[in-house]
């Protein structure tokens, strides 16, 4: 039975078209994946269905939920439908949750608003829903706040809020983008189970085609506000017809041509490093030491590309901050080319200037008030004698050219660039002082598959023109497999596997590594072209 029918939906914002003649259907108990690149209209379609379009938007066409045209409903009528008849899970759970309200009250709020239930009864039902999504109250009290939970746990709270009243339609907008592979697998299995148990229809919005392959019954592919191809999952993945769909799938399977390297001389040496965090469980209670890193030892050689994988909370970012000299360690040593990263408890600036980092969010890592020339020249402050005048301008032009951006990009602001261009600028900033080591911290996880492929090709090309060594931190195992020579697997602050990339993926030795690889979604192989 058809649950949702979108007919000829068009949306403009202040007169500019963003959706054009969008048509799709979703049946009860079915999972429909809406996929495409950023800006294709996926989220705008979801917001149109939920009646959450931004100010200045005008929609035409029809959106039928159980025969009711949502575009003709008033805001008060839509408020009665949201939560009860349709629910939505947003991409970033930390911003979707109220930071000053405990999780029990946030889930109970939906129940109290729609059913006028007493607070005690609503919290009891909230406890049942949270237990259903894997947060039982005996382990996760209702009194906890969002900041006391991991990313996957916060996403479960958002899911509990969306299904508290068992809506017939559930929209999940990129629900697993920022999650590690095992947490992602758990959330996806949970969504599948809810669809099977409650018979709801699930509209899954994602740019991760491997997730689509393992989740969806049908796929709709969007490009520039239009649906360009739709069909059953397996046939569409095996033999896509539209050129845009074929381009997306080719980009998702893309492996960069990384030049071979013969790494012999040690560059970064981490020896028996341990670090702990101090935690006070309650006011006036005694502080406890919580281990974050334990006896970490490894060597990264000159010219080597080293991967670092593990679940959230495994210690990846803590290790990166220690290597950069941002966080002191309680035990062990970290040296770069034989020189210590720390002198006592303070970072050694002479070593610090030889390392740079590229962050996950290319927009959030820049000051939007400054032009690109100032942004990418920020590392010059690390140098004892930074270039000035023509030498500075020449260095900026060379850094932009290295990442295939024109010289005039230096006079523009960061908001004038696309996500992929912003990440190129972030790489240019890291390259401008010619560091010995670059740390990539989830540097491509938020990018579309086609943009990600171009950034990875850029890194491979840079290896051919300059001596680069990097530590590549990612939860996307397919990326790590194509962009590294060796992989470290981190679990609970300990290295459980250290081996060449090909061997880790072909024959993992540790059970935890095998569980990570098994949890990673995979695209099916394309059908061979007919003669």
């Amino acid at each position: 039975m058809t649950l949702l029918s979108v007919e000829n939906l068009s949306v403009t914002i202040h007169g500019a078209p963003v959706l054009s003649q969008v048509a799709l259907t979703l049946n009860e108990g079915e999972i429909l994946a809406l996929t495409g690149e950023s800006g294709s209209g996926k989220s705008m379609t979801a917001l149109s269905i939920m009646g959450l379009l931004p100010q200045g938007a005008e929609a035409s066409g029809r959106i039928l939920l159980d025969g009711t045209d949502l575009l003709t409903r008033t805001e008060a009528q839509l408020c009665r439908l949201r939560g009860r008849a349709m629910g939505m899970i947003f991409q970033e759970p930390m911003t979707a949750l109220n930071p000053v309200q405990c999780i029990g009250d946030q889930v109970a709020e939906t129940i109290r608003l729609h059913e006028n239930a007493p607070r005690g009864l609503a919290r009891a039902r909230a406890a049942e829903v949270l237990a259903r999504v894997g947060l039982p109250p005996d382990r996760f009290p209702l009194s906890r706040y969002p900041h006391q939970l991991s990313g996957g746990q916060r996403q479960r709270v958002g899911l509990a809020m969306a299904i508290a009243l068992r809506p017939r339609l559930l929209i999940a907008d990129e629900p697993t983008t920022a999650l590690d592979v095992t947490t992602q697998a758990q959330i996806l299995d949970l969504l599948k189970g809810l669809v099977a148990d409650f018979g709801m229809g699930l509209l899954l919005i994602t740019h991760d085609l491997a997730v689509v392959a393992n989740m969806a019954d049908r796929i709709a592919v969007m490009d520039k506000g239009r649906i360009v191809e739709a069909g059953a999952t397996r046939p569409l993945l095996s033999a896509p017809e539209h050129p845009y769909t074929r381009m997306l799938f080719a980009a998702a399977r893309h492996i960069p041509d990384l030049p071979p390297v013969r790494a012999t001389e040690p560059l970064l040496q981490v020896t028996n490093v341990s670090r702990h965090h101090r935690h006070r469980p309650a006011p006036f209670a005694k502080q406890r030491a919580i281990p974050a890193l334990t006896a970490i030892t490894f060597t990264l050689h000159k010219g080597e590309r080293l991967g670092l994988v593990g679940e959230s909370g495994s210690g990846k970012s803590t290790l990166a901050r220690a290597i950069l000299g941002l966080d002191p360690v309680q035990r062990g040593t970290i040296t770069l080319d034989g020189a210590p990263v720390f002198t006592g408890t303070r970072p050694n600036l002479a070593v610090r200037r030889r390392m740079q980092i590229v962050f996950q969010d290319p927009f959030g890592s820049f000051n939007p008030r400054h032009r690109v020339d100032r942004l990418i020249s920020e590392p010059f402050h690390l140098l004892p004698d930074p270039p000035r005048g023509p030498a500075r301008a020449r260095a900026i032009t060379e850094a932009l050219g290295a990442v295939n951006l024109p010289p005039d990009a230096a006079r523009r602001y960061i908001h004038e660039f696309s996500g992929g261009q912003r990440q190129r600028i972030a790489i240019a900033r890291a390259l401008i002082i010619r560091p010995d080591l670059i740390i990539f911290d989830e540097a491509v996880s938020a990018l579309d598959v086609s943009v990600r492929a171009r950034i990875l090709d850029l890194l491979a090309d840079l290896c051919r023109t300059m001596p680069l060594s990097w530590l590549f931190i990612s939860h996307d195992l397919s990326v790590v497999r194509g962009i590294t020579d060796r992989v470290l697997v981190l679990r609970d602050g300990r290295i459980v596997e250290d081996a060449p990339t090909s061997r880790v993926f072909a024959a993992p030795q540790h059970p935890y590594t095998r569980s990570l690889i098994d949890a990673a979604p995979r695209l099916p192989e394309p059908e061979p072209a007919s003669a």
Side-chain angles (χ1 to χ4, degrees):
M1 177 180 174
T2 301
L3 171 66
L4 174 71
S5 178
V6 178
E7 302 174 0
N8 299 321
L9 173 65
S10 296
V11 174
T12 61
I13 299 179
H14 298 295
V18 292
L19 295 180
S20 179
Q21 302 295 308
V22 172
L24 56 85
T25 59
L26 175 64
N27 299 320
E28 293 180 352
E30 183 183 42
I31 300 175
L32 171 65
L34 192 59
T35 190
E37 296 177 288
S38 296
S40 62
K42 306 187 301 295
S43 294
M44 198 59 65
T45 301
L47 295 176
S48 301
I49 295 169
M50 295 295 295
L52 298 174
L53 287 172
Q55 190 174 10
E58 294 185 6
S60 62
R62 296 204 304 169
I63 302 175
L64 303 177
L65 179 64
D66 274 335
T68 299
D69 189 353
L70 301 179
L71 293 183
T72 64
R73 302 296 93 177
T74 65
E75 178 61 22
Q77 291 171 327
L78 288 172
C79 284
R80 288 192 288 269
L81 291 172
R82 298 186 195 113
R84 179 180 291 279
M86 54 185 181
M88 185 166 179
I89 309 166
F90 296 93
Q91 177 173 351
E92 178 44 63
M94 192 60 183
T95 57
L97 299 178
N98 188 334
V100 298
Q101 193 176 31
C102 64
I103 62 173
D105 286 344
Q106 295 196 53
V107 178
E109 184 177 24
T110 301
I111 301 169
R112 296 181 68 190
L113 283 174
H114 285 278
E115 298 190 350
N116 199 25
R119 186 172 186 271
L121 177 60
R123 283 178 65 87
R125 290 180 56 184
E128 294 175 2
V129 177
L130 285 167
R132 177 65 183 81
V133 299
L135 299 176
D138 58 332
R139 294 176 52 213
F140 302 93
L142 302 185
S143 58
R144 285 197 180 180
Y145 288 87
H147 72 272
Q148 296 175 301
L149 303 174
S150 69
Q153 291 163 356
R154 288 194 289 264
Q155 195 63 286
R156 290 172 187 265
V157 175
L159 179 55
M161 293 170 63
I163 68 164
L165 295 176
R166 297 192 180 185
R168 301 191 64 201
L169 170 65
L170 181 62
I171 300 174
D173 189 0
E174 301 280 7
T176 61
T177 295
L179 303 180
D180 55 64
V181 288
T182 52
T183 306
Q184 174 181 265
Q186 293 165 5
I187 294 294
L188 295 177
D189 286 343
L190 179 57
L191 288 171
K192 277 185 177 180
L194 291 171
V195 171
D197 294 346
F198 298 162
M200 61 176 59
L202 173 61
L203 179 61
L204 177 65
I205 297 173
T206 181
H207 67 260
D208 191 331
L209 298 176
V211 167
V212 168
N214 291 275
M215 277 286 292
D217 301 304
R218 291 188 298 117
I219 300 175
V221 182
M222 291 197 77
D223 179 32
K224 299 176 182 176
R226 297 176 178 270
I227 292 180
V228 297
E229 189 166 1
T233 299
R234 288 294 167 180
L236 194 148
L237 288 176
S238 300
E241 297 180 358
H242 195 276
Y244 178 76
T245 311
R246 291 199 295 269
M247 181 277 295
L248 280 183
F249 293 166
R253 297 185 176 98
H254 179 72
I255 298 175
D257 183 18
L258 201 65
V261 63
R262 297 180 63 184
T264 54
E265 297 180 50
L267 174 63
L268 175 72
Q269 291 184 295
V270 179
T271 307
N272 200 32
V273 163
S274 296
R275 172 169 170 75
H276 60 258
H277 300 300
R278 292 286 181 181
H279 173 65
R280 194 185 302 275
F284 309 111
K286 186 178 180 180
Q287 282 191 341
R288 294 186 302 177
I290 300 177
L293 299 173
T294 304
I296 300 293
T297 299
F298 69 89
T299 299
L300 188 156
H301 297 86
K302 292 181 180 179
E304 187 178 26
R305 289 74 57 122
L306 180 64
L308 182 62
V309 302
E311 295 174 291
S312 297
S314 61
K316 302 189 300 296
S317 295
T318 301
L319 178 57
R321 289 179 62 84
I323 292 170
L324 289 167
L326 300 176
D327 285 340
V329 297
Q330 280 79 33
R331 184 179 301 167
T333 59
I334 304 174
T335 62
L336 186 76
D337 216 4
V341 170
F342 292 97
T343 52
T345 59
R346 299 178 65 84
N348 184 346
L349 292 183
V351 175
R352 174 67 184 83
R353 68 175 61 104
R354 299 171 61 188
M355 297 183 285
Q356 286 292 300
I357 185 168
V358 178
F359 296 99
Q360 175 176 352
D361 181 2
F363 190 73
S365 59
F366 289 116
N367 188 330
R369 297 180 299 170
H370 299 316
R371 289 187 172 92
V372 166
D373 59 348
R374 175 168 173 174
L375 294 175
I376 68 172
S377 62
E378 285 175 347
F380 283 157
H381 80 277
L382 293 169
L383 302 178
D385 185 22
R388 292 178 174 86
R392 177 180 177 273
R394 187 164 53 252
I396 291 170
T397 300
E398 290 175 358
L400 290 172
V403 296
N404 299 325
L405 288 176
D408 62 5
R411 302 305 299 162
R412 295 160 62 188
Y413 290 93
I414 198 68
H415 71 268
E416 300 179 64
F417 297 90
S418 68
Q421 289 171 326
R422 290 172 192 155
Q423 200 62 295
R424 288 174 183 267
I425 294 169
I427 295 171
R429 178 172 63 178
L431 292 172
I432 198 164
I433 59 174
R434 299 295 174 125
D436 297 307
L437 172 65
I438 298 179
I439 296 178
F440 293 93
D441 189 3
E442 300 283 4
V444 297
S445 63
L447 302 179
D448 295 318
V449 289
S450 60
V451 178
R452 183 185 71 186
R454 290 194 290 270
I455 293 295
L456 295 180
D457 282 342
L458 169 66
L459 295 179
D461 290 340
L462 288 172
C463 287
R464 295 183 176 89
T465 58
M466 59 184 68
L468 276 184
S469 303
W470 63 59
L471 179 65
F472 200 96
I473 302 171
S474 180
H475 65 256
D476 191 330
L477 298 183
S478 64
V479 171
V480 172
R481 188 173 192 169
I483 205 68
T484 63
D485 309 303
R486 188 162 58 94
V487 176
L488 302 178
V489 182
L490 203 62
R491 182 186 189 189
D492 296 333
R494 296 177 181 271
I495 294 176
V496 298
E497 191 150 355
D498 178 357
T501 302
S502 57
R503 195 172 81 194
V504 166
F505 283 89
Q509 300 301 303
H510 196 277
Y512 177 70
T513 309
R514 289 196 292 272
S515 70
L516 287 179
I517 294 173
D518 291 342
R522 296 176 179 83
L523 271 174
E525 292 299 320
E527 290 184 354
S530 56

